[in-house]
């Protein structure tokens, strides 16, 4: 059976699958990234994992994978197949496509940015299916975005498109790792809500999920923290809506797991802020933590579809 390798590399774990042409997951596996062993060891682990998947496909389906798709965090030069930089993995300028292609016997390899790859899957087979224009925004440790246009993800001229987390929504606000102050992700990411609720509750172990539960139980301190985060998020999203005019706005990541505790006030806050803009459908992501892996599979199949026969 014809299939491809899909690999989603995260800061702590890797998710992988063998994916059929219709999107069926024929085999799934997970492995620790092992970043504590250093960037070179992580790259070696990725290659070993991919090689095991190649062997599994050959044994189970009578032929090796036709291609591989890999999603990685950080700055990615997808065109040249280079993992340029990832702060949480410590690597710089890794020729990932070349390394994997060599390890996998020369099959074609597609490399993608983790959020854009997840957005590709959400747009084609998830919450954005059927939308010609969408914006996928996962709210996790930080905030990024994937701009979907006619079934493709817009990477931008330099591969930086969609970095909505670094829109300044509160000038002079908290310092951000990017060098600015008041960036959206310093105020409305899951980690930002965790920090704010930990400080407000006095519990150093409290996180965003705890804050959401406290909001649901009527805690006024939690409601204040949540209201501030939702307001900042709405401000950032309205800026994105003004620039991009998406038909569907897909919200994912850890914070979206709060469900309507997030979505009800967020929809209201966005609606209050728009003037001439058309309000998009604001919906939760549908694919959860499998989005990156499914998207990596789509990248691989897309690569095969664009190959010119010899």
């Amino acid at each position: 059976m014809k299939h491809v390798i899909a690999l989603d590399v995260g800061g702590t774990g890797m998710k992988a699958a063998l994916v059929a042409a219709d999107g069926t997951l024929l085999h799934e596996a997970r492995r620790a990234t092992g970043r504590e062993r250093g960037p070179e060891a992580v790259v070696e682990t990725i290659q070993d994992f991919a090689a095991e998947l190649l062997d599994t496909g050959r044994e189970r389906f009578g032929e090796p994978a036709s291609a591989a798709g890999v999603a990685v965090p950080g700055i990615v030069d997808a065109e040249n197949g280079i993992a340029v930089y990832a702060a949480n993995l410590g690597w710089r300028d890794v020729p990932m496509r070349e390394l994997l292609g060599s390890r996998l016997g020369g099959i074609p390899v597609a490399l993608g940015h983790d959020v854009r790859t997840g957005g590709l899957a959400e747009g084609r087979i998830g919450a954005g299916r059927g939308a010609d224009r969408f914006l996928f925004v996962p709210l996790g440790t930080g905030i990024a975005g994937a701009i979907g246009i006619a079934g493709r993800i817009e990477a931008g001229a330099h591969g930086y498109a969609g970095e909505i987390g670094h829109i300044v929504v509160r000038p002079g606000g908290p310092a951000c790792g990017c060098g600015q102050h008041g960036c959206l992700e310093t105020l409305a990411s899951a980690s930002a809500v965790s920090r704010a609720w930990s400080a407000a509750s006095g519990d150093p172990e409290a996180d965003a999920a705890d804050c959401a539960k406290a909001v649901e139980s009527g805690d006024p301190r939690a409601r204040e923290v949540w209201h501030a985060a939702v307001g900042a998020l709405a401000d950032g999203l309205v800026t994105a809506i003004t620039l991009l005019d998406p038909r569907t706005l897909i919200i994912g990541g850890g914070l979206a797991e709060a469900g309507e505790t997030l979505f009800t006030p967020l929809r209201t806050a966005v609606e209050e802020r728009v003037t001439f803009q058309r309000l998009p459908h604001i919906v939760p992501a549908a694919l959860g933590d499998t989005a990156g892996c499914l998207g990596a599979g789509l990248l691989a199949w897309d690569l095969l579809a664009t190959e010119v026969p010899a």
Side-chain angles (χ1 to χ4, degrees), residues 14-280:
M14 295 186 288
K15 295 177 283 291
L18 298 178
V19 187
D22 63 359
T24 301
L25 299 180
L26 304 171
H27 169 76
E28 295 180 74
R30 296 188 181 226
R31 178 171 295 183
T33 304
R35 63 180 176 181
E36 69 280 354
R37 296 180 297 120
E40 290 183 3
V42 169
V43 173
E44 187 175 335
T45 298
I46 293 168
Q47 293 180 80
D48 290 345
F49 199 13
E52 286 179 21
L53 291 162
L54 187 74
D55 291 340
T56 298
R58 185 184 288 112
E59 291 166 8
R60 291 195 182 183
F61 308 114
E63 61 178 305
S66 301
V70 186
V72 298
I75 299 170
V76 179
D77 180 352
E79 185 176 349
N80 293 302
I82 297 171
V84 178
Y85 174 67
N88 59 355
L89 294 175
W91 65 37
R92 286 184 182 274
D93 298 322
V94 177
M96 193 69 73
R97 183 171 66 199
E98 179 184 337
L99 290 172
L100 281 172
S102 176
R103 186 64 182 274
L104 298 175
I107 66 172
V109 176
L111 181 68
H113 178 271
D114 56 353
V115 172
R116 288 197 287 270
T117 302
L120 178 68
E122 283 288 354
R124 284 202 201 165
I125 59 177
R129 182 184 292 185
D132 56 343
R133 300 285 191 279
F134 69 87
L135 177 64
F136 170 57
V137 181
L139 310 172
T141 303
I143 298 178
I147 302 164
I149 303 172
R152 300 280 175 177
I153 301 298
E154 173 56 51
H158 308 96
Y160 291 14
E163 290 292 348
I164 185 177
H166 297 291
I167 291 174
V168 174
V169 293
R170 299 290 182 267
C176 181
C178 77
Q180 300 184 113
H181 287 77
C183 286
L184 179 60
E185 71 175 39
T186 68
L187 297 150
S189 62
S191 56
V193 173
S194 294
R195 286 193 300 271
W197 178 233
S198 177
S201 66
D203 179 0
E205 300 299 318
D207 62 13
D210 296 323
C211 185
K213 291 174 186 173
V215 169
E216 291 160 12
S217 67
D219 188 312
R221 298 169 304 167
R223 286 186 171 181
E224 185 176 345
V225 167
W226 201 255
H227 179 75
V230 168
L233 180 57
D235 286 341
L237 293 177
V238 169
T239 297
I241 290 167
T242 305
L243 288 170
L244 301 172
D245 187 28
R247 197 172 305 279
T248 303
L249 184 52
I250 306 165
I251 307 295
L255 210 58
E257 293 175 9
E260 287 307 312
T261 301
L262 173 67
F263 283 92
T264 296
L266 179 61
R267 290 186 185 108
T268 299
V270 171
E271 189 169 2
E272 288 172 349
R273 285 162 170 76
V274 297
T275 53
F276 66 90
Q277 304 94 331
R278 294 293 296 271
L279 197 65

